[in-house]
Amino acid sequence: MSTAPAYVFQGRSVAMPVVVRDASSAAATYLVSTRVARRLLPGPELEPVELLPGRALFSIAAIDYRDNDLGDYNEVSLAFFVRERGTPRGVPYLGTLLDCVRNRIATYIWKLPVNQSFTRDAGYGIWGFPKTVDVIDFRDVDGRRECRLVMDGRRVLTFTGLASGTRTLPDASMVTYSYVHGRLHKTTFVAGASEVGFALGGAALALGDHPIADDLRALGLPKRPLMTIWMGRQHGRFEAPTPVPSS
């Protein structure tokens, strides 16, 4: 008999793991201020991962979930690359670069707006993800994805990234952190994709007048990203969160 937890939101049952059967995403990775990143992280257990002195790693992703246990919805992920405080750092900076290329660096999702209430309730109720219901519009034209995010009636950002590719990424296991009822948890997820494209730089970002846009400016954005990635046919699964032992 399965011992995997199950949850109920809006009268619908959600079993673990949550499976993503089809999605597409455009994402960019940026170098941002470590000092500001540290201020925006909610607790002392995590610290930003630096690629250069004083420069942390941050990502913006525009994700279209087409077939997902939590529904068909749009999502914008604003996330920091992090490690648990006190864990070995490996070779300074070079080790970070290698880990980044190999998808071995965990993330902390700072903001996670979506455009459907069910995934908001489930995402927050299961993993503590900071999901909010907002206006997210996508437009895919000429090999580019444009994403416009509006919160509280004010524009946060317009992000335009790569939306074409022919490569394949094999399934890989990754980790993201979140706080569930005030306690740090980690979630393992596995993802792979086809129709994948990469580019150095390759994305444009314009910021609006929402307070979150001001936080992004404090991080040093907008600027040219380190790289962008497109995953045209993405799949994966999210496991239940597990508490991180207190040090």
Side-chain angles (χ1 to χ4, degrees), residues 164-244:
S164 64
T166 59
R167 301 183 185 183
T168 298
L169 284 179
D171 286 7
S173 179
M174 291 165 276
V175 168
T176 191
Y177 290 97
S178 59
Y179 285 85
V180 181
H181 304 302
R183 182 175 180 183
L184 184 67
H185 284 62
K186 66 190 302 183
T187 296
T188 300
F189 65 99
V190 174
S194 59
E195 300 179 16
V196 176
F198 298 92
L200 297 178
L205 177 66
L207 300 177
D209 62 352
H210 191 278
I212 291 174
D214 293 335
D215 287 332
L216 295 173
R217 288 188 184 92
L219 286 166
L221 300 175
K223 66 194 304 184
R224 186 177 187 268
L226 287 174
M227 64 172 293
T228 61
I229 181 171
W230 165 257
M231 289 183 277
R233 292 287 178 181
Q234 188 175 6
H235 61 268
R237 65 181 186 274
F238 288 79
E239 303 294 340
T242 58
V244 174

Side-chain angles (χ1 to χ4, degrees), residues 32-41 43-52 54-58 80-85 89 93 96 105-106 108 219:
V32 298
S33 165
T34 300
R35 175 183 58 82
V36 177
R38 190 173 287 119
R39 173 173 64 82
L40 294 176
L41 290 175
E45 299 95 338
L46 300 175
E47 60 182 5
V49 170
E50 289 188 323
L51 185 60
L52 295 171
R55 291 291 177 263
L57 290 164
F58 179 76
F80 294 99
F81 291 82
V82 297
R83 63 167 56 88
E84 291 181 44
R85 191 174 297 278
R89 300 189 180 194
Y93 310 123
T96 299
I105 304 179
Y108 170 78
L219 286 166

